[in-house]
Amino acid sequence: MLIPHANLCPFFVPTPSSLSYEDCKATADWLLTQTDMRPTVGIVCGSGLGGLADLLKDQVAFNYEDIPNFPQSTVHGHAGRLVFGTMKGKPCVCMQGRFHLYEGYPIQKITLPMRVFKLLGVQTVVITNAAGGLNQDFKVGDIMIIKDHINLPGFAGNNPLVGPNDERFGVRFPCMSDAYDRDLQQLAMEVGQELGYGDFLKEGVYCVLGGPSFETIAECRMLHLLGVDAVGMSTVHEVIVARHCGMRVFALSLITNLAVTDYDSEEKANHEDVLQAGNQRAEQMEQLVSSVVNRIEPNNNYI
């Protein structure tokens, strides 16, 4: 019989999936000894969008398998490297590939990099993903600025903050009504207009599902009724942990396929189409992200 520690919730039994502050600090300290770069911006690359890391100058890169406590990316289109460098003069760290619930990792493990980002000195996190479009006005190739999310797995208790809370990271009950920084959303809209992206730059609500199976028609119809504009299998858990740690968040979805809501449709979602759509819009996505990063100031303001 397992006896829970007296100082913990009586129903919580520590498991190897529960990563401590000391685990995260050990990872951050190891990285800080390997590079002189002190990033203030952290970037997460979604499926087919790993080219964002290639924009970094003076790169120092680490394979995930070589970083203490880091999981490994197992999905095609995710290179599995942590890249340090500068983007438009700003010191950055970029995840070239992320981790997902459907890979079998505990939710605390897939969000480990956000805590490491915080301990590296990151103030602003830029997150990208590939998503299916539910909004009837969206087209494949549209870029959606995420203004809010629905954490559907969280309704069943699958939240990365479940378990004992460490105040060194953040408060027990963090607010999520401001999860996505509104100033950065406005900045991105302004930058997008300057770049001539007005025809395909949108904003909307993102919903995360567990995956790896794509959504059924009935599920897509339900999500549409809930006000969801785009659906995917990532991002939200990272956002929750980043906000818990006090970092600002800006997030983008590249609409790589349109969700099927008609039983007479012959369309079928598949990962190859996702990667192809990512490649086709990658240059504009990279230009938008780099232009936004260029105007983020170290004091968390923007110009």
Side-chain angles (χ1 to χ4, degrees), residues 10 13 26 52 56 58 82 95 100 112 116 123 130-131 136 150 182 215 218 242-243 265 294:
V13 178
L52 278 167
L56 298 179
D58 306 315
L82 192 66
M95 288 181 66
H100 308 80
L112 164 75
V116 172
Q123 298 171 353
Q136 300 300 305
I150 294 177
R182 289 163 192 163
E215 305 77 37
R243 292 299 295 136
S265 173
N294 182 47

Side-chain angles (χ1 to χ4, degrees), residues 28-49:
D29 288 347
W30 183 87
L31 288 165
L32 291 171
T33 64
Q34 304 297 313
T35 175
D36 295 329
M37 189 72 63
R38 297 297 180 262
T40 58
V41 177
I43 302 171
V44 181
C45 300
S47 295
L49 299 169

Side-chain angles (χ1 to χ4, degrees), residues 11 16 40 66 77 115 118-119 140 170 174 183 186 194-195 216 228 243 246 259 279 283 290 295 302:
F11 303 106
T40 58
D66 298 327
R115 300 201 187 282
K118 176 65 175 179
L119 295 173
V140 170
D183 288 338
Q186 181 60 37
E194 294 168 8
L195 293 171
T216 68
V228 174
R243 292 299 295 136
N279 292 333
E283 184 176 345
S290 64
R295 291 164 65 170
Y302 69 89

Side-chain angles (χ1 to χ4, degrees), residues 65-209:
E65 62 189 21
D66 298 327
I67 303 174
N69 298 318
F70 245 63
Q72 297 183 38
S73 188
T74 65
V75 182
H76 181 51
H78 293 255
R81 298 195 315 156
L82 192 66
V83 185
F84 289 78
T86 60
M87 181 180 289
K88 299 292 183 77
K90 299 287 192 311
C92 299
V93 57
C94 184
M95 288 181 66
Q96 204 170 25
R98 58 150 55 89
F99 317 111
H100 308 80
L101 281 176
Y102 61 75
E103 293 175 81
Y105 293 118
I107 197 168
Q108 289 86 358
K109 192 77 170 179
I110 66 175
T111 53
L112 164 75
M114 295 301 102
R115 300 201 187 282
V116 172
F117 277 9
K118 176 65 175 179
L119 295 173
L120 291 174
V122 168
Q123 298 171 353
T124 303
V125 180
V126 179
I127 301 179
T128 68
N129 64 53
L134 280 164
N135 188 313
Q136 300 300 305
D137 294 329
F138 285 4
K139 302 182 298 294
V140 170
D142 282 350
I143 296 173
M144 186 186 83
I145 298 169
I146 300 178
K147 66 178 182 181
D148 204 352
H149 72 233
I150 294 177
N151 178 19
L152 208 54
F155 290 6
N158 206 355
N159 187 300
L161 303 183
V162 166
N165 184 64
D166 194 317
E167 293 285 336
R168 289 172 290 184
F169 283 126
V171 298
R172 169 78 278 188
F173 303 107
C175 176
M176 286 293 143
S177 61
D178 60 348
Y180 299 87
D181 190 275
R182 289 163 192 163
D183 288 338
L184 290 176
Q185 292 174 48
Q186 181 60 37
L187 173 62
M189 275 296 184
E190 294 170 3
V191 168
Q193 293 298 326
E194 294 168 8
L195 293 171
Y197 293 175
D199 288 344
F200 58 85
L201 187 60
K202 316 290 185 180
E203 67 174 11
V205 175
Y206 176 89
C207 180
V208 63
L209 300 181

Side-chain angles (χ1 to χ4, degrees), residues 268-282:
K268 293 184 179 180
N270 64 83
H271 192 58
E272 288 69 30
D273 288 348
V274 168
L275 296 179
Q276 182 179 355
N279 292 333
Q280 290 173 348
R281 189 61 85 187

